[in-house]
Amino acid sequence: MSDAALTQLRHVFGYDSFRGEQARIVSHVADGGDALVLMPTGGGKSLCYQLPALLRNGTAIVISPLIALMQDQVEALRQLGVRAAFLNSSQNAGESAATERQLLDGALDLLYVAPERLLTPRFLSLLDQATIALFAIDEAHCVSQWGHDFRPEYRQLTLLHERWPQVPRIALTATADTPTRREIVERLALENAQQFVSSFDRPNIRYTVVQKHDSRRQLELFLDGHRGESGIVYCLSRRKVDATAAALSARGISALPYHAGLDAGVRAANQRRFLREDGIVMVATIAFGMGIDKPDVRFVAHMDLPKSLEGYYQETGRAGRDGEPSEAWLAYGLGDAVLLQRMIENSDAGDERKRLERSKLDTLIGYCESTGCRRQTLLSYFGEAHGGACASCDNCLEPPQSWDGTVAAQKALSCVYRSGQRFGAAHLIDVLRGADTAKIRQHAHQSLTTYGIGSDLDARQWRGVFRQLVATGLLDVDVEGHGALRLTSDSASVLKGARTLSLRTEPPAASRRRERAKGGAGSNAAQLPADASARFESLRQWRGEAARAQSVPAYVIFHDSTLRDIALCQPADLDQLATVSGVGVGKLERYGQAVLEALAQHSPAATR
Ligand code: ADP
Ligand code: ZN
């Protein structure tokens, strides 16, 4: 590693040392090599092109898919004293022209552009006249049709290599699965690029899967443990997004909706508030999230099953970019599996695609039902070994109990069979428990031999039985029959008693105390001693004012972790302040004095 890189890291960014693969990547690209960087969200990808941009002659061109987010990225760099700008359709002609002039004058270290702008003949010929330090292709998985972020313009980016073969390219993504990686290499002509693959573990994120019974209430209890914190709540449908956001707002939580059905202006305003204000809960479909690099998202909650494990990992990865404790929480029930299967079968995708989606869904259900370490399951999906026992997932923290469910499974399967394989779990449970409902009378199901044979278990326990039977392939969802449950070729072995079945015990209905004890992992001030906590709050208040005055997000001024360190070590002067991680020269000059003043309000001298 060159001394120059380390010097810049400390001087400009205020960090002591590189993380993981950063040092190797920076020196490789700074020396003119091509690179493909696979690093989880929060791993520190931006630095991998921002530092070489400073070390190399000319301007780094950063291709980024979302114009709405470029501004904040550029603002964060400017706060560090780096000469950065963006070009996109949100600007007027005058602004664009000024930025283009800066490019030609060599007055920019980094220039962010959207791919569609980059590919215009006009912009390409402009680049011909400029000195280009490197090309950084962010969110490189957008080139892949495999995922859900596909962007056709990304496919044309090979022309960069053709037109400027001597300019190094660095492609970056947090999507790690092998098919996507292969497609990136192929589509971006990166065969000769060096690949840097980091561990995809996110040790600061705690994973929890809860069995759905009253998901709205379960969510509210979960959120009680995260009062005042920023987070994302994902729902499957637009309608559910609206309803959930309204319900949370009615409880006094600052919740905003986000989905593709909202007016573009409302969407942009909500996103902006989420990025800029503290403590906003964004209730959203998966339309929300790509490129959101807000570092202090403390939780990501899923009210419905996501579509695949890689999607889940990417969505939950938006929590805790700053490395502080964060939570990934997922509520899952039989209804989700049925609904998603129906969505797959009823879509107009080809057979091949459907098979793929079915197998992705099965993998996800397997994850939910797993009794082993969640982290181990997640990482093994990305081809990475982990020893398990992570001490930071629900299964490790409270190992699930199991029971011999053979007899219950026989009762359930036989009830499916006797009622003609035409009903869903809710009705079957009523039959097993001997309920008196109109539907039972209508079908004369009180005369079935399985009527009332399951009164030893309550409805929730039965739901667990049916859910696990579907998950293990002992029952099948009849998609054309509106989600009715059917026997499979494997069911007979259980019915005949040739196979025993160990089922996971359903945890008791969540009590307020229980959920709260689980939550709150990331409460900011809670982890500080009382006096430091008061200093932290006063620093946060100062930061909020400074951010509003410049209308930038608070985190581009200082991250929570930096404020916390300042609150703890109480620097007495600018020299001491400069040693705190995240305080580079640019920020020291800009904010050093104000920080010391905010601290002084809490010093013993001031209170005396
Ligand atoms: P990614 O783009 O991979 O999700 P970012 O580039 O946004 O990650 O970085 C995540 C966080 O880590 C940011 O807050 C960034 O400032 C911080 N960070 C990156 N590199 C370092 C480092 N070497 N030392 C300390 N903090 C770092
Ligand atoms: Zn674990």
Side-chain angles (χ1 to χ4, degrees):
M1 169 50 43
S2 71
D3 287 347
L6 202 56
T7 307
Q8 293 281 44
L9 178 76
R10 294 185 174 149
H11 187 73
V12 177
F13 295 87
Y15 298 142
D16 288 339
S17 53
F18 286 105
R19 270 194 199 156
E21 295 279 304
Q22 279 176 338
R24 287 179 53 218
I25 300 166
V26 167
S27 77
H28 180 76
V29 177
D31 287 346
D34 287 349
L36 172 58
V37 172
L38 297 116
M39 214 185 251
T41 309
K45 282 187 286 301
S46 339
L47 208 76
C48 299
Y49 59 84
Q50 290 169 350
L51 249 185
L54 299 179
L55 296 170
R56 288 180 64 85
N57 195 16
T59 306
I61 307 298
V62 184
I63 296 118
S64 170
L66 292 172
I67 57 172
L69 300 165
M70 276 179 202
Q71 199 181 346
D72 289 345
Q73 284 161 355
V74 165
E75 188 52 52
L77 284 166
R78 287 183 179 159
Q79 293 277 336
L80 294 169
V82 174
R83 303 174 305 165
F86 61 86
L87 271 180
N88 66 40
S89 51
S90 74
Q91 293 159 305
N92 63 37
E95 287 167 334
S96 297
T99 301
E100 290 175 1
R101 173 98 332 261
Q102 287 180 305
L103 171 68
L104 296 180
D105 289 348
L108 290 176
D109 299 311
L110 292 107
L111 176 60
Y112 285 71
V113 284
E116 52 276 12
R117 164 69 72 111
L118 175 88
L119 293 164
T120 58
R122 193 172 167 283
F123 189 75
L124 292 172
S125 68
L126 193 72
L127 282 185
D128 277 330
Q129 303 161 55
T131 310
I132 310 169
L134 58 97
F135 289 111
I137 304 170
D138 207 6
E139 313 280 358
H141 64 280
C142 288
V143 81
S144 160
Q145 230 157 5
W146 172 265
H148 58 242
D149 295 329
F150 178 53
R151 295 281 297 257
E153 313 87 39
Y154 263 65
R155 294 248 160 132
Q156 295 169 48
L157 294 178
T158 42
L159 77 77
L160 298 178
H161 183 48
E162 289 151 15
R163 199 156 166 155
W164 293 281
Q166 77 293 355
V167 176
R169 293 173 302 151
I170 169 173
L172 311 101
T173 180
T175 303
D177 61 273
T178 325
T180 310
R181 195 196 306 182
R182 217 179 293 130
E183 222 181 327
I184 294 174
V185 169
E186 190 185 316
R187 295 284 177 181
L188 294 178
L190 286 168
E191 288 82 2
N192 296 323
Q194 185 160 340
Q195 295 194 15
F196 296 89
V197 184
S198 301
S199 164
F200 268 71
D201 190 14
R202 300 289 310 278
N204 60 315
I205 299 183
R206 184 159 85 194
Y207 299 93
T208 303
V209 178
V210 302
Q211 307 307 333
K212 244 186 215 185
H213 40 94
D214 175 357
S215 55
R216 175 81 54 76
R217 178 98 193 103
Q218 288 172 294
L219 175 70
E220 287 169 0
L221 291 173
F222 170 74
L223 292 181
D224 281 348
H226 290 276
R227 285 271 158 175
E229 297 178 356
S230 292
I232 306 173
V233 176
Y234 281 113
C235 302
L236 194 59
S237 69
R238 297 171 184 186
R239 208 169 43 184
K240 187 156 169 184
V241 164
D242 290 332
T244 307
L248 294 181
S249 299
R251 281 177 60 92
I253 295 171
S254 315
L256 300 173
Y258 190 103
H259 57 70
L262 289 172
D263 173 73
V266 173
R267 239 171 25 224
N270 287 356
Q271 172 168 305
R272 198 179 154 85
R273 281 192 61 192
F274 177 73
L275 292 174
R276 296 189 178 216
E277 292 175 28
D278 278 334
I280 300 275
V281 175
M282 190 66 116
V283 185
T285 61
I286 54 166
F288 178 75
M290 190 185 33
I292 296 284
D293 55 5
K294 184 175 167 64
D296 56 354
V297 175
R298 291 276 70 86
F299 61 88
V300 172
H302 280 81
M303 289 290 276
D304 301 296
L305 213 51
K307 286 188 178 141
S308 67
L309 211 54
E310 64 263 30
Y312 180 63
Y313 206 57
Q314 194 144 68
E315 284 145 34
T316 53
R318 290 167 189 149
R321 274 177 189 253
D322 54 7
E324 303 283 307
S326 308
E327 279 205 85
W329 182 91
L330 165 65
Y332 149 74
L334 175 60
D336 288 285
V338 172
L339 181 67
L340 285 178
Q341 280 188 28
R342 286 172 66 177
M343 281 172 64
I344 294 172
E345 302 310 329
N346 294 337
S347 77
D348 29 275
D351 284 349
E352 179 73 6
R353 180 90 205 175
K354 282 186 183 174
R355 194 160 39 240
L356 182 74
E357 293 196 349
R358 249 181 255 129
S359 92
K360 286 185 173 194
L361 178 59
D362 287 346
T363 308
L364 190 69
I365 292 173
Y367 167 78
C368 294
E369 294 291 351
S370 149
T371 53
C373 174
R374 305 268 182 213
R375 197 173 302 278
Q376 188 176 38
T377 311
L378 285 166
L379 290 172
S380 81
Y381 184 73
F382 297 111
E384 194 177 325
H386 184 281
C390 74
S392 186
C393 75
D394 53 351
N395 286 346
C396 286
L397 290 168
E398 269 181 85
Q401 308 294 311
S402 58
W403 57 293
D404 182 349
T406 311
V407 173
Q410 287 168 342
K411 289 177 181 174
L413 294 175
S414 134
C415 193
V416 168
Y417 178 70
R418 306 239 170 241
S419 56
Q421 312 192 56
R422 290 190 294 128
F423 298 92
H427 178 69
L428 294 165
I429 291 170
D430 282 344
V431 174
L432 284 164
R433 295 196 20 86
D436 177 24
T437 69
K439 196 164 175 182
I440 285 181
R441 274 177 265 124
Q442 181 195 340
H443 295 280
H445 280 169
Q446 68 277 19
S447 55
L448 291 178
T449 51
T450 51
Y451 183 75
I453 60 169
S455 50
D456 51 330
L457 300 183
D458 66 22
R460 215 160 49 82
Q461 291 168 314
W462 275 118
R463 271 202 301 277
V465 172
F466 279 101
R467 198 192 67 237
Q468 294 179 73
L469 288 173
V470 171
T472 47
L474 290 164
L475 278 178
D476 208 8
V477 178
D478 179 359
V479 171
E480 265 133 48
H482 300 285
L485 297 175
R486 289 182 312 203
L487 300 186
T488 69
S489 52
D490 289 342
S491 313
S493 60
V494 176
L495 279 167
K496 285 190 210 132
R499 174 171 168 189
T500 59
L501 210 63
S502 168
L503 294 179
R504 183 186 180 129
T505 303
E506 296 304 298
S511 70
R512 172 172 288 274
R513 198 172 39 91
R514 209 179 121 87
E515 291 285 335
R516 190 177 285 158
K518 285 183 179 179
S523 180
N524 276 317
Q527 293 150 346
L528 291 172
D531 59 330
S533 166
R535 288 192 292 272
F536 177 71
E537 286 311 329
S538 120
L539 288 166
R540 255 166 76 108
Q541 199 179 338
W542 160 78
R543 181 184 64 178
E545 286 158 15
R548 266 190 300 282
Q550 302 174 69
S551 95
V552 299
Y555 65 80
V556 308
I557 295 186
F558 284 120
H559 284 181
D560 280 359
S561 51
T562 300
L563 292 191
R564 194 195 332 276
D565 286 354
I566 296 174
L568 273 174
C569 74
Q570 296 190 69
D573 54 33
L574 291 176
D575 286 343
Q576 285 180 20
L577 181 59
T579 64
V580 174
S581 178
V583 185
V585 278
K587 294 204 174 162
L588 193 66
E589 253 170 42
R590 224 172 265 225
Y591 304 119
Q593 208 52 50
V595 164
L596 294 178
E597 279 161 23
L599 268 184
Q601 293 175 359
H602 284 274
S603 72
T607 45
R608 221 178 280 141

